[in-house]
Amino acid sequence: MSATKMVSLTIEGRAVSVPEGTTILEAAKAAGVLVPHYCYHPGLPVAGVCRMCLVEVEKFPKLAPSCATAVGEGQVVHVYSEKALEARKGVLELLLINHPLDCPICDQAGECELQDYTFQEGRADSRYREPKRFNPVEDFGGDVLYVTNRCILCTRCVRFMDDVHEAPVLCVSERGDRAVISKAADADLTQPWAANVIDLCPVGALVSKDFLNKARAWELDRTASVCPGCSQGCNTVLETRDNVVMRMKPRPNDAVNQFYLCDVGRLDYHWMNRADRLESPKIRLADVLSPVDWEIALGQAAEALRGRRAYVVASPQLSNEALFLLKRLIGATGGEGAFRCATGPEAPLPGVDDLALRADRAPNVRGAELLGFTRRDGDLLAGLKSGDVLVVAGDALDGVDLRRAVDAATVIVVGTVLPVGLPTPVAVLPIANVAEEEGTFTNLRGRVQRFLQAKAAPGLARPSWYALADLATAAGAPSDDCALPSRAFAALAAAEPAFSGMSYDALGLRGAVVAGAEVAR
Amino acid sequence: MGYPHKSHPQETPVLSKHFGDPAARTLEGWKARGGYTALAQALTMAPTAIQDVVKASGLRGRGGAGFPTGLKWSFMKLDDGKPHYLCCNADESEPGTFKDREIMRWTPHALIEGVAIGAYAIGAETAYIYIRGEFSEPIRVMEAALAEARAAGVIGPNAMGSGKRIDIWVHKGAGAYICGEETALMNSIEGKRGNPRIKPPFPAVSGLFGQPTTINNVETLTAVPHILNNGAEWYKGMCLSSPKSTGSKLFSVCGNVARPGNYEVVLGFSFKDFLYDLCGGPPAGRKFKAIIPGGSSVPVITIEEAEQVRMDYEGFLEVGTMLGSGGVIIFDDAQSMPRQLARLARFYAHESCAQCTQCREGTAWMTRILERIVAGQGTFEDLDTIFDLSESMTGKTICVLSDSCAAPVVSGIKRFRGEFEALITGRRSSTVAVGG
């Protein structure tokens, strides 16, 4: 590899050195200066049309669009000079002359770049005295609604569909101030990744039907998470209000999902709010489940496991930590572990390397495999032997042939809901779901990624690592080194060579790849 | 000859010599009038030698910008191994300009010869003549002439037996003003929406289909065979004022004038003589008031300023306007300048490609303010707003469409402020709202 030539320049008085060919806008970012912009997006081809990112470059005859101007050695760039500010003020006034200013009823309010920059740099009033242009709202299909009047024609959506999704459905129709975004006849935004245009839209022109009028942006708490929808492990933000997940949005991570999240994953969060959850530990008394203390339920479970083999059915929705503790339980009882994974058609995003809605529709298939669980999509209970204790962890067992379980008779359930059709379990241990606890998943490329707790678990439900550490201890596998999620992970890293050397701190919010994971795919 | 009027004795008909002569349209007729000798000669020369002749002649782009043609050609790297393209800009969408139309109608082979020489000089084997879609007759004439030239082997895989390949194709525009902008034109040929591209990269580096491309106006290319036939010195000798403006130029004259039409004069000609002698002065009983001398995109000047001007690139700059495309639009004293400028602004608002914010919103806003002033509902603040708005619209966008909207309006208000104020204060009743 030849060394990249570096170019040094000064932006707003800050010296910065960036690789040759970098745009002034990106160089400014590197220098810690945000140049206001609309049409520019690091994941899309440069359009240079909003003219918002105009900056003054000394010795240039005109203001330069910083998104489309490459850095030059020794350049002196002024982002906030009077000339640049005046130009951007002009752009903002022009963007607003036909904008409805319906912020009070706009979902984008509070996270709207038009709003932000107008407050930051725009005029206090408008000199526009003419009637505003009006166009009706259009349903673009999928999850996308186009509120034409709010559109500033930055064309991010058009470029995303053309160049990243490679499904040229959107275009600019008409000319002059009659121009609008339209979709091709007989096509709409039902493509698997189309709803990303909602996130890309810097204003409230493209809004989510799912989120429409549900919450104000400033009421939401945001938590870094990982999409549990498939084995890709797209980084997400869970946005909650009053302990309810209101929406899930992508969180940029160049190594996994760049800036994007598929529509399936994006809309598959409602279950995190389901109300009919297991809220209390329970034990079987006279063939009826009765709520009890955690200690009693754990004791009952340990009692059932004494001297018997645990056949653990684990969900690949469980974290590495939970699966690791289940592995300890299996080890202590001489049992075995199995899992199954729902599958669906794979849907790649063509413009991004190695990004797809994966066939395996669970986040931790790779983790389950690394931790020794056997994939049994056909007959999940094939390994269940007479006399085993069936430990069902996280799997609701819907659609599974449960005749073998009926024979095994002794069942322990660790989960968020009670599977239907099982013999009455001897103990039921309620756990948190992915939004309610901290943990890590291993994606299909072996990347271990953390997700954080976004909301509280219901009732007495405990984080899975917490409940399973207690269960493993009660069953004779010492797990008192797992008093915190970070410690559970540390124990995992110490015990499993694939995870060797990892820690929560080292993983950060970008993740790290397990040892031995093939780099080349 | 001359069309529609006979050539005026003070004209210098070089390009327009055969206007109105149907026999010049055919290959045979064109050859009989000395056609294709320049191409035959050019094909024996080195491309750089042709570039040098054109450089020496001082020929500058006739489409509006006035960039030296030979210099433009020399930007093409002849040995880069890439396919090169020549685009001939025959979109002629600038209001007030209709010289290229006449060149294509009467002397199609002159253009073909110029395009072929240009293509050879920049190392291109393929050239496109991008003709505006409304030019149905010129398109028909050009296509017939191209078919003839191809059949006779003048162009094609073995142009004039030289072993050089020169293919020329006509591409029809679809009615967008902006497609006369060189990068929008390339997008249009590629089948894309006619949006101007960001420069850099410039066309000579990455143009049509991402390959090195040169774009020349019809009139520019048509002048090239004459330069090769008669020599650079001859062309350079056609100069009445600034030595930087050489050769003859067609001026399209329209508006309130006794004899509208195309006139070919040597650059540096007196604009006063041009207006009163060649064009016959104002219509009976009227007086000239204002002139837009270079197509609708250039600043408007008063008749007093116009009478001082020498008709060349430098002369027009001195009075704050531009030679542009040579489309002379004349207003007499019966015209309301606010109304004329509002109509002009509306054209730009209609034709803005909608990419850049300042242009998309600015042209439309400016139009609405002007139309309101014309309707008698303007205020003095409106004039300030227009000046401020024109600042936003000038020098800040991808192409110069919004500059072109602002230039005539701002210059018009500066020079004819009284007419605007009369409408604002109600001293003068509003004319009919701009329509139609």
Side-chain angles (χ1 to χ4, degrees), chain A residues 194-211:
Chain A
N196 283 293
V197 296
I198 299 166
D199 307 329
L200 291 169
C201 183
V203 298
L206 295 171
V207 290
S208 162
K209 292 183 210 166
D210 178 70
F211 185 68

Side-chain angles (χ1 to χ4, degrees), chain A residues 47-51 62 68 87 90-91 93-95 97-98 127-128 130 152-153 172 174-179, chain B residues 176 193 198 349-352 354-358 360-362 364-365 368-369 372 388-389 392 395-398:
Chain A
V49 298
C50 73
R51 315 310 282 183
K62 297 195 286 185
V91 171
E93 183 181 25
L94 288 164
L95 285 175
I97 64 173
N98 280 310
R127 294 171 294 183
Y128 191 68
E130 331 298 328
I152 60 168
L153 287 162
V172 177
E174 287 292 335
R175 289 180 287 165
D177 75 337
R178 290 104 49 219
Chain B
R193 183 180 161 99
I198 301 176
H350 184 262
E351 295 296 334
S352 164
Q355 281 195 107
C356 301
T357 307
Q358 291 95 330
R360 180 182 69 237
E361 306 291 344
W365 187 6
R368 288 191 197 121
I369 296 177
R372 190 155 47 74
D388 222 29
L389 187 53
S392 277
K396 298 188 176 65
T397 46
I398 293 177

